[in-house]
Each structure stands twice: as structure tokens, then as C-alpha cells.
Amino acid sequence: MALKAGVATLISMAAAFDLPGLADFGMAAILEFTEEPMAGRSNAKAGLPVVMMHGMGDFGNNPMGMVPLRKLIAETANAYVHSVELCSDPTKLSDCDTQDQSNGFFMTMDEQVDQFARVVRADAKLSGGFNAVGFSQGNTVIRGYIHKYNNPPVKTFLSMHGVMMGVNGLPQCPMSVPGVGPLCRAVDAIVSHAGVYSSFVQNRLAQANYYRDAENLVEYRTHGHFLPYINNEVQGHQNSTYKQNFQSLEKLVLVMAEDDTMVHPKESEHFGYFKDGSRTELVTMRDAPWYKEDWFGLKSLDEAKKIEFHSTPGNHLRFKKDFLVEMVQRYFVTESSVVV
Ligand SMILES: *[C@@H]1O[C@H](CO)[C@@H](O)[C@H](O)[C@H]1NC(C)=O
């Protein structure tokens, strides 16, 4: 109820603003994929279940992307795959395409993580733990779940172009996708109107919850929701469970898009970022304070040789099908699920 009213407010607010330049944002965060899945390996033992989390502007039941992709991953890993939808009503766990699509913008990251947890906990097939694959912002949701819940636990986390260390600049909105244009305009309008760290925006816009302004870290840590907390970078609010949960991963696979124009800086996908105090100078993961001081378990994971880095040519979510198949085979197919 409150959320619906919020969205209506945003859209009507957006209509009141003139927004030049947005038409240039033609890049979709949506993964388009229509290929037919290959034949299944019927006599193999089932692999560990997989959970998929879609990106901004997309929806879990998208017949032009997430659904065929779910089948492809299921065939490749020989496993049950659940493509998570985020509905607005906490008791509704699926079949809400329109809400699922707009909630990627207007449901806060904390609420998205809570709803993700409800969905996976209600699925008995996942009760023994699961592998997770996220696309773009979906990885930020999965990361939040690992820190704050991780019960049932994530074993291997495959991040496809994931927003790991936040963004400094709002992600380009997929304007050209039918139905998404008004949402994009709303996003732009409220941020330019109220400011990204205002409580109005923090309480209403998911992307603001991982906006990490490296030139303004005090503001970000004082007024930002979600990312500063899961990063354990807010003094007095560090939570050792967040760190323990993250370092309990069996494998963290980080895939970056080499020419990503949506996630800024793209190095965030490899847990690098802008150096503290700068919006131009980059710092790699291993040179960054969040790593060196092991704020949330990243260094522990790396020292246990559990982090793998990959990159794909081209822009955001424009990886090849064969690349994803290779990742799934390499990281999700366990010995027990291979036909001998
Ligand atoms: C730390 O996080 C865990 C998991 O989300 C939560 O149960 C616990 O209450 C948190 N502790 C504090 C002190 O906030």
C-alpha cells in the first residue's frame, strides 16, 4: 500500500520535471535471451539447486530472457533452478511480473533482500543450500542475502556483471524497453530533485542504496542505507555475522564487462572502486581498504583462494551464451552431477 503510493508519487513527480538527455540512455540492463535449451542429461545425478536473481528493469518470469536462461542453466548444471521474483506483498512469492519489474527500482535494497529471503526460504528444494547466479543489480540482492541471512546458505556465488562495491553515478536506465521509460524518468527526477542521500530518495529508490560517492564518504556513511551497512563501514554498526556469512562461501566468481557503460566504475564488478576521495582514480580490490582491513570477509575469501575473476568483451550483460555455459559447467557442476 505504502509502496504503491510511493511509486505513484514518483511517477507523477517525474512527469512534472523536464528531463533532457534521458533519451540517450538506450542501453538495457535487461538480458535478452531466446535460444532453445539443449537436450537434458537424464541419467545424471541432480546437482545442487541454483537460484537466479534478475537485474534492474527485468523480471524473473521474462519469457524473452530469464525463463529460457533458467532452462539453459538447469540443463547445463542438471539442477533445479529457481528464478526469483520480487513481489510487493510479502506473502506473495511469485506471479507478479509488473511489480517484479518496477520493484527493481522502487523497492529499497533492504526490502528486496528481505523478500528474496522469504522466497528462497519458502522453497523446500533449496533448504539444503544453493548456488546463486545474479545479473547486474541481482547480485547486489544476493550479496545482501548472504551477509544478512545466508540460511539456507549460498555455496557458490556467480556474479555476472554485478554491482559489488556500488556505483558512483546512477546506472543508465533501460529507456527503450517497453513500460520502463516512465520508471526511468521517475528515477532521474527524484534524484535530481531531492538528492541521492536524502531520506526521501533512500526510502524509495533501490539504486540510491548502493550509490557510493567516493568524494563524499561521510554523507554516504551517515545517510546511505544498505551498502555502507553490508560493507561494515558505518562506525558502531559493524556486524561480525555479515563477515562470517560472506567468508563461508565456497566460491565467489566475479565477472566484469570490459566495456561496461552502465555500472560506473565497471571495476566495482571485481570489487575494485574509486579511491577514497576521488571520482577518477581507481583502486583495485587487493589495494582497497575494504579488502586490506577485511571489513566483510573479502580478504579472508581471497586468502582461502575462493575468489575467481573473469571478464567478458563488450557492454553490460552482453556476454555470449557459451561463456555462461562455461561458467555454469566450471563452477556449478559438481562431481556428483557429472555422468561417468
Ligand atoms: C547482525 O546481523 C545478524 C544477521 O542479519 C542479525 O541477526 C543480528 O541481529 C545483527 N546484530 C546486530 C548487533 O545488529
Side-chain angles (χ1 to χ4, degrees), residues 104-141:
F105 297 93
F106 301 126
M107 184 183 250
T108 66
M109 288 307 299
D110 283 312
E111 286 171 324
Q112 290 192 42
V113 169
D114 291 347
Q115 186 64 6
F116 178 92
R118 287 185 202 104
V119 172
V120 298
R121 286 176 164 192
D123 185 343
K125 295 196 185 76
L126 305 174
S127 62
F130 55 89
N131 294 326
V133 54
F135 302 93
S136 191
Q137 179 179 286
N139 293 290
T140 323
V141 178

Side-chain angles (χ1 to χ4, degrees), residues 23-329:
D24 300 330
F25 293 174
M27 219 352 256
I30 296 173
L31 206 160
E32 282 163 32
F33 181 75
T34 48
E35 229 158 310
E36 284 304 305
M38 55 195 172
R41 290 179 290 169
S42 55
N43 54 351
K45 233 176 102 191
L48 192 69
V50 175
V51 169
M52 288 166 65
M53 188 66 234
H54 66 78
M56 175 183 92
D58 208 348
F59 53 107
N61 212 12
N62 187 347
M64 301 301 283
M66 288 296 123
V67 171
L69 206 59
R70 171 169 58 72
K71 291 178 186 157
L72 176 73
I73 295 172
E75 304 279 359
T76 308
N78 191 36
Y80 166 76
V81 182
H82 186 150
S83 174
V84 170
E85 294 171 67
L86 299 176
C87 305
S88 304
D89 176 350
T91 64
K92 190 162 169 59
L93 304 177
S94 62
D95 300 319
C96 58
D97 294 354
T98 317
Q99 288 178 358
D100 187 20
Q101 192 168 33
S102 69
N103 284 343
F105 297 93
F106 301 126
M107 184 183 250
T108 66
M109 288 307 299
D110 283 312
E111 286 171 324
Q112 290 192 42
V113 169
D114 291 347
Q115 186 64 6
F116 178 92
R118 287 185 202 104
V119 172
V120 298
R121 286 176 164 192
D123 185 343
K125 295 196 185 76
L126 305 174
S127 62
F130 55 89
N131 294 326
V133 54
F135 302 93
S136 191
Q137 179 179 286
N139 293 290
T140 323
V141 178
I142 294 169
R143 201 194 138 195
Y145 170 81
I146 294 167
H147 290 295
K148 297 174 82 175
Y149 289 91
N150 215 34
N151 178 24
V154 177
K155 306 286 185 178
T156 291
F157 175 15
L158 168 59
S159 165
M160 298 300 296
H161 304 166
V163 186
M164 285 292 118
M165 202 54 204
V167 290
N168 207 153
L170 286 176
Q172 284 178 13
C173 210
M175 281 293 288
S176 58
V177 176
V180 177
L183 304 181
C184 296
R185 279 183 221 105
V187 166
D188 199 64
I190 58 159
V191 173
S192 48
H193 178 69
V196 74
Y197 295 122
S198 66
S199 61
F200 183 84
V201 172
Q202 288 291 322
N203 284 323
R204 284 167 181 83
L205 180 65
Q207 289 72 39
N209 298 150
Y210 56 80
Y211 187 94
R212 190 175 191 275
D213 187 347
E215 275 190 345
N216 205 352
L217 290 171
V218 172
E219 187 82 353
Y220 153 80
R221 287 172 183 152
T222 311
H223 300 294
H225 296 185
F226 184 72
L227 186 65
Y229 290 89
I230 63 167
N231 277 351
N232 274 334
E233 58 182 313
V234 183
Q235 278 310 321
H237 284 91
Q238 287 93 345
N239 187 322
S240 60
T241 305
Y242 291 1
K243 185 174 176 179
Q244 280 160 21
N245 286 350
F246 199 64
Q247 66 193 38
S248 77
L249 281 172
E250 288 174 7
K251 198 67 111 179
L252 172 63
V253 185
L254 300 171
V255 181
M256 179 179 83
E258 284 161 13
D259 302 312
D260 204 313
T261 60
M262 181 167 284
V263 174
H264 180 72
K266 63 179 191 286
E267 288 75 9
S268 176
E269 297 169 3
H270 275 175
F271 266 118
Y273 205 67
F274 288 123
K275 227 174 158 170
D276 286 3
S278 172
R279 277 183 196 156
T280 49
E281 212 182 327
L282 293 161
V283 60
T284 65
M285 179 185 89
R286 291 188 181 112
D287 288 328
W290 48 93
Y291 176 92
K292 291 205 274 194
E293 296 161 19
D294 209 16
W295 295 352
F296 50 88
L298 197 58
K299 186 180 185 187
S300 305
L301 268 183
D302 192 39
E303 286 181 342
K305 308 225 176 317
K306 290 177 174 177
I307 309 184
E308 305 273 338
F309 298 92
H310 296 273
S311 56
T312 56
N315 211 330
H316 198 60
L317 296 188
R318 291 297 177 262
F319 52 83
K320 296 251 189 309
K321 174 196 142 188
D322 288 351
F323 177 81
L324 184 66
V325 167
E326 187 198 322
M327 290 293 104
V328 170
Q329 280 170 341

